[in-house]
Amino acid sequence: MYLVNLNHKYHYETENLLRLFFPEKIEQSDTLPEGEDGIITSKDGNSLTVSLSLGGEKSTLKKEYDEGDIPSYDTAESFFERKLALMMFELLTEKTGYTPPWGILTGVRPAKLMSKLTASMGQEQAKGYFQSELRVTKEKTELALCVAKKEAPIISGASGEKSFSLYVSIPFCPTRCSYCSFISHSNDKAKKLMPEYTDYLIKEIEETGKIAKALGLKLESVYYGGGTPTALTEELLERVTDAVSASFDLADIKEYTIEAGRPDSVTRDKFRIMKSCGCNRISINPQTFNDSVLREIGRNHTSQQTLEAMRTAREEGFDFINMDLIAGLPTDTLESYKSTLSTVLSLEPENITVHTLALKRSATLVTDKRQTNTGDLASQMLSHTYKTLTGTGYIPYYMYRQSKSLGNLENVGWAKEGYEGLYNVYMMEECHSILSVGAGAVTKLKNPRGNEIERIFNYKYPYEYINDFDEILKRKKRIAEFYSEIR
């Protein structure tokens, strides 16, 4: 599918919008080759034109505007960009028969936009704007509003000048899922790296702790992700948790999360190690309770193992558990997904996070060109989720969208009242600095007096992290420099 943009700078928006309808590669060009499918957008002063060539048929829309059409809350650039997107949307929905539920909205954080609009124009007008100017469905508009309301007190409670969170990266997994594009290594290939990696990770934890203490920073939350943190052995996991306890003041933290995401990676002893270090929130992630789908995506555990992991975690005293599901997994069906959600509800986790399958370029699901489900089916799964969870005591508290998600759909965290996952909001809404350690980790330094974000990147792969560790420590010095510059 070709995209031709003439006389305007809205290339990013037009490409993202076109990709909602044609997820395959979009090729931007100066002209549309003869006989090829594509769309041409152009701006001539206040005149906008969109022409769509599809399957040998050509359709064109042209609209004229004047300066008086631009509302007071808008700028000329954003007004014309939105109107051009709406014209594309009108042609594409008519000719393809598909209407994306998020309309022309392609941003990562819909709730953030809803919050901004509500503050400037009021709740009802903001909802109207979502539906009329962005073509977002009523259901998704209500979802964005609900998340915005739930996030607000969490955000305001984490905006102190000295507040921060700690992220610990464990980039190992028992196996690599077919949809995964994260920098992680399956145990069978990387087991030998784990002890040495742990040694260096502990050094970085200790150095980061010294920096945070010298700056007088206040730790709000701790989050171990990956990969699968519980892919580490009991001994290595305990060494890491001990290092965090020794290097940081955990007395006043609000949340301590460790992802125990793969049921085949946890043991009773690992649960006890996590409990003893102060961890009060864990994730046990089935993704699906359909064993044939689990095999299809390369997860070597069974549904029964998930049930056993949940039972053991409860026996060991964990009363704050998240479970992840994915809508749109290969070979999954709507009925199978409904059954999975029903099983999850029977386990009564405090959090349920529902992701939409994202077709990432480096995932084997994409590189092997396997057949995948459609955005329409994923949309039905999410709609069922919304209707079911809103009636069973769960409230959506955070949301984000990934590029190349089926149907441009969302990932949503649902929580029982009082059990919102704080780190998820802190990270997604960029409330404060995130000091990150480990391979693939990215430290995000937030100016507490503004919106500026500065990032410090660690090496992605464990062997790079180990082999050039001195460079990691050099980069960490930027944390102190950053805070000295904003005094």
Side-chain angles (χ1 to χ4, degrees):
M1 173 63 71
Y2 284 86
L3 173 62
V4 180
N5 290 305
L6 303 175
N7 304 321
H8 64 77
K9 300 177 181 179
Y10 316 139
H11 297 201
Y12 179 80
E13 181 65 25
T14 55
E15 180 174 344
N16 282 344
L17 183 56
L18 185 57
R19 187 171 283 115
L20 304 186
F21 298 87
F22 300 97
E24 67 270 16
K25 183 178 179 181
I26 306 297
E27 188 166 340
Q28 295 217 27
S29 176
D30 294 331
T31 59
L32 180 62
E34 187 69 29
E36 294 287 348
D37 288 344
I39 196 163
I40 302 173
T41 72
S42 65
K43 181 176 183 292
D44 183 9
N46 292 344
S47 177
L48 304 176
T49 305
V50 176
S51 296
L52 173 65
S53 295
L54 191 61
E57 295 184 9
K58 184 175 180 180
S59 305
T60 299
L61 275 180
K62 184 173 183 178
K63 295 190 178 182
E64 299 273 353
Y65 297 94
D66 59 46
E67 299 301 323
D69 294 323
I70 303 174
S72 58
Y73 56 79
D74 221 341
T75 65
E77 280 299 293
S78 63
F79 173 81
F80 284 112
E81 180 181 50
R82 186 174 68 256
K83 291 302 182 183
L84 193 67
L86 286 169
M87 292 166 66
M88 288 180 63
F89 188 80
E90 183 177 337
L91 278 181
L92 288 164
T93 54
E94 179 186 344
K95 298 303 178 183
T96 65
Y98 172 61
T99 304
W102 284 101
I104 67 168
L105 192 58
T106 59
V108 173
R109 302 179 181 91
K112 192 168 190 175
L113 176 60
M114 175 61 81
S115 180
K116 179 181 177 182
L117 291 174
T118 300
S120 65
M121 61 177 66
Q123 178 176 303
E124 290 308 311
Q125 196 171 344
K127 288 168 60 178
Y129 183 92
F130 254 58
Q131 293 178 60
S132 63
E133 290 297 317
L134 303 177
R135 300 294 193 273
V136 179
T137 65
K138 182 179 179 181
E139 181 183 279
K140 300 303 183 188
T141 297
E142 292 295 341
L143 175 61
L145 180 62
C146 189
V147 171
K149 287 180 177 179
K150 206 65 183 170
E151 283 184 338
I154 298 173
I155 293 170
S156 64
S159 56
E161 290 204 358
K162 294 292 186 176
S163 68
F164 80 103
S165 290
L166 174 68
Y167 178 80
V168 181
S169 173
I170 311 293
F172 304 101
C173 279
T175 59
R176 183 176 178 179
C177 299
S178 64
Y179 53 78
C180 182
S181 65
F182 287 116
I183 305 301
S184 59
H185 294 257
S186 57
N187 281 8
D188 56 341
K189 294 182 179 179
K191 232 176 209 178
K192 61 183 180 182
L193 277 178
M194 287 185 182
E196 190 175 13
Y197 176 81
T198 301
D199 290 341
Y200 282 98
L201 176 63
I202 288 170
K203 290 179 183 178
E204 190 183 4
I205 289 170
E206 292 170 345
E207 185 62 27
T208 305
K210 291 176 185 176
I211 294 170
K213 184 177 181 180
L215 292 170
L217 301 182
K218 179 186 176 183
L219 184 58
E220 300 274 358
S221 70
V222 178
Y223 194 100
Y224 292 58
T228 305
T230 46
L232 294 177
T233 64
E234 283 89 349
E235 178 191 358
L236 296 179
L237 179 62
E238 189 166 29
R239 287 186 61 205
V240 174
T241 58
D242 284 350
V244 170
S245 297
S247 303
F248 293 90
D249 182 0
L250 305 179
D252 298 317
I253 64 169
K254 299 173 181 175
E255 181 181 273
Y256 192 134
T257 300
I258 298 179
E259 289 189 1
R262 297 286 286 264
D264 50 340
S265 73
V266 292
T267 63
R268 187 175 294 274
D269 283 343
K270 288 181 185 180
F271 282 129
R272 289 174 176 173
I273 290 166
M274 289 187 280
K275 193 68 178 176
S276 66
C277 75
C279 172
N280 60 5
R281 180 178 183 271
I282 60 173
S283 287
I284 297 174
N285 302 332
Q287 314 300 24
T288 175
F289 274 97
N290 184 322
D291 284 348
S292 67
V293 177
L294 286 172
R295 290 191 295 272
E296 179 69 22
I297 63 177
R299 288 174 78 93
N300 289 350
H301 65 83
T302 63
S303 298
Q304 184 60 36
Q305 285 176 290
T306 303
L307 298 174
E308 291 168 359
M310 280 291 290
R311 182 174 62 251
T312 304
R314 293 300 195 194
E315 289 171 355
E316 293 302 323
F318 283 98
D319 56 8
F320 194 169
I321 299 177
N322 171 74
M323 301 190 83
D324 276 8
L325 302 179
I326 299 179
L329 287 172
T331 73
D332 206 3
T333 65
L334 181 58
E335 289 307 310
S336 169
Y337 178 82
K338 288 180 178 180
S339 175
T340 287
L341 186 60
S342 178
T343 301
V344 169
L345 286 172
S346 73
L347 297 171
E348 300 186 75
E350 287 65 37
N351 287 175
I352 301 173
T353 305
V354 182
H355 299 268
T356 302
L357 179 67
L359 301 177
K360 296 297 187 178
R361 182 176 57 187
S362 58
T364 56
L365 183 63
V366 175
T367 58
D368 293 351
K369 298 181 179 179
R370 300 186 198 175
Q371 186 172 354
T372 59
N373 276 321
T374 64
D376 184 57
L377 178 58
S379 182
Q380 293 177 53
M381 292 173 172
L382 293 187
S383 183
H384 173 74
T385 301
Y386 181 84
K387 292 171 184 175
T388 301
L389 294 188
T390 51
T392 50
Y394 290 89
I395 302 170
Y397 74 94
Y398 99 107
M399 171 172 57
Y400 69 101
R401 296 194 299 168
Q402 294 174 281
S403 63
K404 300 183 180 178
S405 290
L406 292 179
N408 191 37
L409 294 165
E410 70 277 2
N411 306 321
V412 179
W414 296 79
K416 293 181 178 180
E417 188 67 46
Y419 286 96
E420 296 78 16
L422 303 181
Y423 174 84
N424 290 326
V425 178
Y426 297 160
M427 178 271 299
M428 185 52 55
E429 299 303 328
E430 298 175 333
C431 302
H432 58 213
S433 292
I434 309 289
L435 304 189
S436 301
V437 296
V442 180
T443 289
K444 296 169 71 174
L445 301 175
K446 166 73 183 298
N447 184 342
R449 299 169 197 168
N451 295 318
E452 300 88 353
I453 299 287
E454 183 176 324
R455 290 170 172 79
I456 302 172
F457 295 87
N458 281 6
Y459 290 115
K460 290 183 177 181
Y461 297 99
Y463 67 86
E464 291 178 305
Y465 178 83
I466 292 167
N467 292 340
D468 205 0
F469 185 74
D470 287 345
E471 176 62 23
I472 298 290
L473 296 187
K474 287 179 184 177
R475 295 178 185 180
K476 277 286 183 288
K477 294 179 180 178
R478 177 58 194 156
I479 299 172
E481 295 172 355
F482 177 86
Y483 279 95
S484 68
E485 291 168 5
I486 60 175
R487 284 178 181 169

